[in-house]
Amino acid sequence: MSIKDDLAYLKSIRIFVGLSVFIFGLTTVMGYFAAAVDPELASNWTRELEALKWIFDQPPIVIMTIIFLKNLLASAMAMLLGLGLGLVPLMVVTSNGFLLGIVGYAAVQKAGFLFLMAGILPHGIIELPVVLVSIAIGFRLGYLLALTLAKEKVDLSGETRIAIHFLLRWVAPLLFLAAAIETFITPIAISVVT
């Protein structure tokens, strides 16, 4: 597939992209306000995340590899396990959105909005769209499976091949780039605003 074909495919799944963006945005806002209403919720989730702080004691190349593999696994699961009627992508988008809202609230309370933006934007400008497109492809595969079960004629195997193509050609390299930025550039951005 050429880049033109890839762009045409993305255009053809725009309703699923819109759905993934909408759910992510909604659950992020819900997480933010849930943390504001129940500070104990925010502290519980933050404590769970602090259990992962050991990662940041590793050499930068190890940190980058862990971040990359975690995001790649989440994206691949959301995409390819969309064949389970879209339930896995739905769980990935809602849990990530809700968690971002909670962490965002905690970050704003601790150090302000600029701190939050410095911690998200450098790598998030690449990572979030890639993950959301992966989720959208998972929703598309789930939808096509539902059509297949309803005896509609669809090319589910062809769509699965396209999903794997996107995973290898776009998702993996872009998530690697985002992990490198998160490891080497995001900390600099945070240090500038703190």
Side-chain angles (χ1 to χ4, degrees):
M1 290 178 68
S2 68
I3 292 177
K4 188 176 177 181
D5 293 333
D6 291 345
L7 291 173
Y9 177 75
L10 287 177
K11 187 176 179 183
S12 76
I13 65 164
R14 64 185 173 274
I15 191 162
F16 298 102
V17 173
L19 179 64
S20 66
V21 170
F22 173 76
I23 295 171
F24 182 79
L26 180 66
T27 54
T28 300
V29 170
M30 288 170 60
Y32 188 91
F33 285 108
V37 170
D38 184 4
E40 186 64 27
L41 176 74
S43 65
N44 287 342
W45 281 69
T46 305
R47 271 196 299 274
E48 285 189 32
L49 288 174
E50 285 175 1
L52 301 174
K53 288 233 176 187
W54 65 270
I55 294 170
F56 297 104
D57 294 333
Q58 306 305 311
I61 196 74
V62 174
I63 295 170
M64 183 184 76
T65 303
I66 291 170
I67 291 169
F68 166 67
L69 292 175
K70 179 192 83 61
N71 289 333
L72 182 62
L73 180 63
S75 294
M77 285 176 49
M79 183 185 287
L80 300 175
L81 296 181
L83 287 168
L85 298 175
L87 295 176
V88 172
L90 181 62
M91 289 189 305
V92 170
V93 73
T94 55
S95 62
N96 280 309
F98 198 75
L99 180 60
L100 179 61
I102 290 172
V103 170
Y105 177 80
V108 167
Q109 296 308 306
K110 181 180 177 182
F113 185 73
L114 198 56
F115 174 79
L116 175 64
M117 290 297 98
I120 293 174
L121 280 182
H123 64 277
I125 204 158
I126 296 169
E127 182 181 306
L128 284 176
V130 170
V131 171
L132 291 172
V133 166
S134 299
I135 291 165
I137 293 171
F139 280 146
R140 166 90 173 156
L141 291 175
Y143 171 71
L144 293 177
L145 178 63
L147 289 179
T148 301
L149 294 174
K151 307 291 187 208
E152 297 273 339
K153 187 172 167 101
V154 295
D155 184 11
L156 192 55
S157 63
E159 289 281 342
T160 305
R161 282 193 299 276
I162 291 171
I164 292 168
H165 161 80
F166 263 84
L167 184 65
L168 298 176
R169 183 175 188 182
W170 296 106
V171 173
L174 288 172
L175 287 178
F176 185 82
L177 176 61
I181 293 169
E182 187 171 358
T183 303
F184 297 105
I185 296 174
T186 299
I188 295 169
I190 291 171
S191 69
V192 167
V193 300
T194 54

